[in-house]
Every structure is written in structure tokens, then in C-alpha cells.
Amino acid sequence: MAAQRLECELVTDAKLSATIASEFGAQNGIPEKAWPHLATSILAKLGVQQHLVISSIGSELLLRNIPGMLRAHVVAPEARRLGNIMLDRRLERAEAKRQLREMEKETALTRKKRFGRAGSRVQSFDLVMNAEGLATEQMSDVLDSAVRAKGLLEAGLLTAAAEAQIQFQVRLKLARYGIVPPDRLQVRHKEFGHPSEEVFANLLDFYRIAWDYEPRSFPLQWDKDGKVQEAFTPDFYLPEFDMYVELTTMKQAHVTKKNRKIRLLRAIYPHVNIQVFYQKDVQDLVIKYGLPERLAQ
Amino acid sequence: MSEPAIERILFSAEQIDQRIREVAAEISAKYAGREVKLIAVLKGSVFFLTALVRELSVPVKVDFLAVSRFANQKGAPGMVRIAKDLDDSIEGEDVILVEDIVDTGFTTRYLLQHLAAREPNSLAICTLLDRTPRRIVRVPIDYRCFEIPDRFVVGFGLDYKQLYRNLKYVAALNLEAPGPGA
């Protein structure tokens, strides 16, 4: 929510781990102690190109010498955390409590492996908020004010010189583990192919649902040498639900072609969940949410 | 723009009454010996709620919630929030969220998260209509009256531009064809 409000790129623990895996190879071969350095290297590369909101275990301990950071921590009463688990996993309170303990243990273990200590210290943060007394919207307001008060957006992005210095130090640290950071990092920019995609993205943001735009292409046909001849890239991926969403707002001839691709996708990748929204569905959403009707065209 | 026309009736008033009685019997059996709180989402669910509570045989309380609209007057998306909160606490209560329709599941998920944080003893969902072809968020539906196809529907609380809520039946609306008043 804060990322959307501040128009920053959200970097989650999952996204960071996935980028580490893709940029540095399989995670199994990377020692956990190297994780903070790998993460620092990636965040520094991203920080030159855009403002970031980082939501990752122990992220307050990353980039500690960089002034343009605001470190915020949100605590929530057990009742709220339990409620979320009960709901997400359809559990009775007792089982939810057991699973919450497991999750807490796992987080502490990850933190210990990565940073050498199981818990976080309040002194590591500039701002600590309690969800018991503050609604999500209010916390977002506070974050927004704090970011603006510190002048983080006006101060601009991480400079190339600062990044070079960070990368130099990271290289020295990673050399111990025999890891060499890549020179260039592929960063995706969100450029929507159709206005309806932007509306759909806004709708997901409205409901605070995390999404990625066209994060993956699925090969559908190969030639005899194994070279991909046809692929399909769904518009959205919703990591929380492990679901892809494709919006189709085009002429019937194109819809038929796209339906064929989706049928192939389902046949070749039966475990991939994909939901298709046709023009009529998009039109219904436009009416339901009171959006400008030109978007359904 | 011309007004759309009612294409066909999907569920008649009699079918709706009958199905509501059946679902109410299920709920009454499940919550026998307990008190249940039904929470309806304004505005569409009110029609279903009032019909449902009249058929319940267990002690029942009602409360209402409303969520903010997606776009403000300038058309800019905001962030979902509770526009009208519950009047009373639900801590320790057996709660059923009453919906007119579960579609993508976006709103229902948000409301469930909101309610679950209030420490109810249990939380269930009851919906008049369940449009599974559009589902994106997997929300656990405990009681449903009807599953519907991928059509735009109105009536029995469901609207098109705030109209048609008063119909006693549920009908598919043809958004392409102009209605008699067009």
C-alpha cells in the first residue's frame, strides 16, 4: 500500500530471493551468510533506477550507511495475526496459533542465518507503528508523511557513484564465498499494453493485492532443434494466489487465436492457474466499479 | 447511452424464496443452540439478509458494513477502506458475512480480513449468488443459494447504476440491447 501511495517499486522477500536466484544461480549453492551482500548488490542496482519500498526479513539491516532510507517496522497484536491465518488457511484458532508459532520460528531462523541474530531491535528503526491502534490507511499516511519529511523523494535516486562504491564493497565481501555479482540487472518497467490492463492493476492495488505485470513467458511450440517458436505471456501474476490473469479486450478473430494459446498453455502446463477475462467481463467490472466506460471499449 | 434490457429471468421470486428457506434451514441446523450474527454488506446484500433472517430458527443479530467505492469523483482509484463500520463488537461471536454476489472475490476477501481481526469465534460466508467463472481470489463460501453463469445480473438487491434492486427475481441484463425505455 505504501509502495503504491509513494509510487515506488515494491521489493518483497520473495522477489528479492527470486532475483538472487536468477542473477546468481540456484539459491542452494549460495550460503545464507552471503544473502545480505547479494541483496545489497541487487537493491543498489535497483535504487539507481527507481525509488524502492523493501519488505523483507531483516531489511532494516541492509544498506545501513545509505542516508536516503527510512526504516519502518509494523507490529500487530497476536489477535490480528491469528485472524489472518485463520482466514487464509481456514483454520480453527488453536491450529492457527500453532502455525503462527511455526512461522515465527521460521522467520527467526532465517534472520539468524542471514544476519546472525534471531530478533529485530527497535533501535534499528526510524519508525515503529502498532497495527492495534493504527488502521492500515493511517499507517500509510504516517509513512507518507515521514518519507516526505525526510525529503527522500526529492533527494533523488541513488547516484551512480554511490552505487559503484556499494558494489565495490559488496564484491570484496562476496569474494569470500567465490561469488561474482553480475554487471547488469534486468529490471522490468510497467508499460501496459492496453488501458484496461492499467485499470485492472489499479483494481488490484485498490484491494491491496500484490501483482506482477507479464513476469513470465510460457513456451508453447518448439522447432526440431528445441528453439521456442511460440510462447504466451499472461498479463498478470498474483503471487498470493499463485494465479495468472489474462485480459482479452480485442476483436473476435484475435480472441480465437488467444483462446487457442490458452488451451495449449493449460495442456502443457496443467499446474498453472490462469483466469481469462474477456471483453464482456472487463465491461462488467467497469460498470460494477463505476469506471469510465471508454475503458471497456 | 441507451438503457440495457432484461434478457431473461434466471431465478424467479418463488425459486429464490424456496432456496433461501433451504439455506436458512442449513444455517439453523449448524448453529443450533447458539446465537448467530449476520453481517450484510451495503447496499445490495440488505435484500437477501432480510429475507434470510426471517427464515432462521436460531437467535440472530444483524449488523452492516460498507466499503468505499473504487474510483473517486475524478475517476482516480483510491484504496479500499471501510466506509461504514460495524455498530457493535463481534468478539467471541459466531459471524456470517452475507453477500448478494461473490464475483472476483476481491471485496469478500477484504471484508473477511477486516472481520477476522475482530476476534470472532467463527466466521462463515453466505451468498445469494456465486459467480465462480470470474473468481480470482479463492474465498471459502459456506452457504450459497445459486451458482450463476458469467452474466451481468440484476434484481433482488443487485443493481445496474443503482437501478433494478427492487426486482423480486434475479435476471440477466443484456448490456448491448436497449430496453423499452431507450
Side-chain angles (χ1 to χ4, degrees), chain A residues 23-290:
Chain A
E23 295 295 321
F24 295 91
Q27 260 208 306
N28 293 343
I30 297 170
E32 282 284 359
K33 279 192 177 171
W35 197 95
H37 310 306
L38 299 172
T40 299
S41 171
I42 286 167
L43 292 172
K45 281 181 198 295
L46 292 171
V48 175
Q49 300 169 54
Q50 57 211 312
H51 290 292
L52 307 175
V53 168
I54 308 160
S55 170
S56 172
I57 297 168
S59 54
E60 76 277 10
L61 300 171
L62 299 171
L63 298 163
R64 270 187 286 190
N65 299 322
I66 299 294
M69 300 270 287
L70 175 76
R71 292 168 177 82
H73 186 43
V74 176
V75 294
E78 185 168 283
R80 178 171 288 234
R81 286 179 290 145
L82 269 178
N84 286 342
I85 295 174
M86 281 170 70
L87 199 63
D88 291 345
R89 305 185 181 182
R90 293 297 285 167
L91 298 173
E92 296 289 327
R93 189 164 284 270
E95 177 56 18
K97 205 166 188 170
R98 193 191 67 74
Q99 292 198 14
L100 179 63
R101 295 284 167 269
E102 282 294 313
M103 287 163 64
E104 286 171 343
K105 223 161 92 180
E106 213 171 290
T107 304
L109 191 66
T110 303
R111 185 185 278 272
K112 173 93 178 162
K113 280 184 189 166
R114 288 180 186 173
F115 300 99
R117 52 182 306 132
S120 60
R121 289 190 307 180
V122 73
Q123 296 92 325
S124 304
F125 298 96
D126 304 309
L127 183 65
V128 178
M129 294 181 283
N130 190 344
E132 184 165 25
L134 289 168
T136 315
E137 295 81 5
Q138 292 167 328
M139 287 192 280
S140 179
D141 286 344
V142 172
L143 272 176
D144 187 81
S145 300
V147 164
R148 291 181 201 286
K150 273 196 89 172
L152 296 184
L153 298 178
E154 293 78 9
L157 301 168
L158 189 68
T159 64
E163 195 229 336
Q165 198 178 352
I166 292 168
Q167 298 298 356
F168 176 72
Q169 287 165 2
V170 165
R171 268 175 196 277
L172 290 179
K173 300 264 172 56
L174 288 178
R176 285 186 218 161
Y177 308 100
I179 299 168
V180 181
D183 289 335
R184 291 197 311 162
L185 183 70
Q186 296 301 317
V187 182
R188 284 178 193 283
H189 291 285
K190 295 182 201 83
E191 285 173 13
F192 296 106
H194 191 276
S196 65
E197 291 170 2
E198 188 169 357
V199 169
F200 192 74
N202 286 338
L203 196 58
L204 294 171
D205 286 337
F206 178 73
Y207 284 104
R208 302 165 192 169
I209 292 168
W211 54 270
D212 274 337
Y213 182 64
E214 297 187 340
R216 184 180 167 189
S217 287
F218 294 90
L220 298 177
Q221 285 200 43
W222 297 261
D223 65 15
K224 58 182 171 46
D225 300 321
K227 196 176 163 191
V228 176
Q229 287 200 312
E230 189 179 19
F232 181 66
T233 308
D235 294 323
F236 290 92
Y237 177 62
L238 314 182
E240 199 179 334
F241 314 114
D242 188 23
M243 177 179 276
Y244 291 87
V245 177
E246 174 67 16
L247 301 183
T248 300
T249 52
M250 48 176 64
K251 288 177 183 168
Q252 192 55 42
H254 295 127
V255 171
T256 309
K257 201 173 160 190
K258 195 180 263 192
N259 280 344
R260 189 193 128 265
K261 282 190 169 189
I262 291 164
R263 274 199 306 276
L264 266 176
L265 174 87
R266 284 181 170 142
I268 300 170
Y269 308 93
H271 302 299
V272 170
N273 293 317
I274 182 161
Q275 175 69 285
V276 184
F277 271 63
Y278 294 98
Q279 180 155 2
K280 180 168 58 68
D281 302 321
V282 175
Q283 189 182 32
D284 288 1
L285 286 180
V286 163
I287 292 166
K288 182 172 174 181
Y289 291 103

Side-chain angles (χ1 to χ4, degrees), chain B residues 39-169:
Chain B
I39 295 174
V41 189
L42 297 172
K43 308 170 189 166
S45 308
V46 173
F47 298 75
F48 177 41
L49 174 90
T50 52
L52 183 65
V53 290
R54 285 200 296 264
E55 301 297 334
L56 290 175
S57 58
V58 289
V60 59
K61 292 179 186 170
V62 298
D63 208 338
F64 300 92
L65 272 175
V67 292
S68 56
R69 284 178 63 81
F70 170 64
N72 64 20
Q73 285 182 336
K74 290 176 185 168
M79 196 64 76
V80 66
R81 60 181 174 76
I82 298 295
K84 187 250 169 249
D85 209 343
L86 299 174
D87 290 333
D88 300 307
S89 163
I90 55 168
E91 188 178 339
E93 295 199 84
D94 291 307
V95 171
I96 301 177
L97 178 66
V98 178
E99 287 268 33
D100 49 358
I101 184 166
V102 179
D103 196 23
T104 56
F106 290 158
T107 309
T108 308
R109 170 184 176 269
Y110 171 70
L111 290 171
L112 285 175
Q113 284 175 334
H114 179 75
L115 294 174
R118 306 286 184 92
E119 299 185 64
N121 182 51
S122 67
L123 187 54
I125 304 174
C126 178
T127 183
L128 174 69
L129 304 175
D130 184 7
R131 184 155 51 195
T132 51
R134 298 253 185 95
R135 191 66 38 82
I136 292 177
V137 181
R138 288 183 286 271
V139 284
I141 295 179
D142 303 87
Y143 309 98
R144 69 170 62 73
C145 290
F146 303 101
E147 281 199 41
I148 59 162
D150 195 2
R151 305 297 305 274
F152 195 93
V153 292
V154 292
F156 212 82
L158 290 121
D159 75 307
Y160 170 75
K161 296 184 177 178
Q162 299 300 326
L163 295 171
Y164 301 100
R165 291 190 197 276
N166 57 322
L167 299 181
K168 291 176 180 171
Y169 50 84

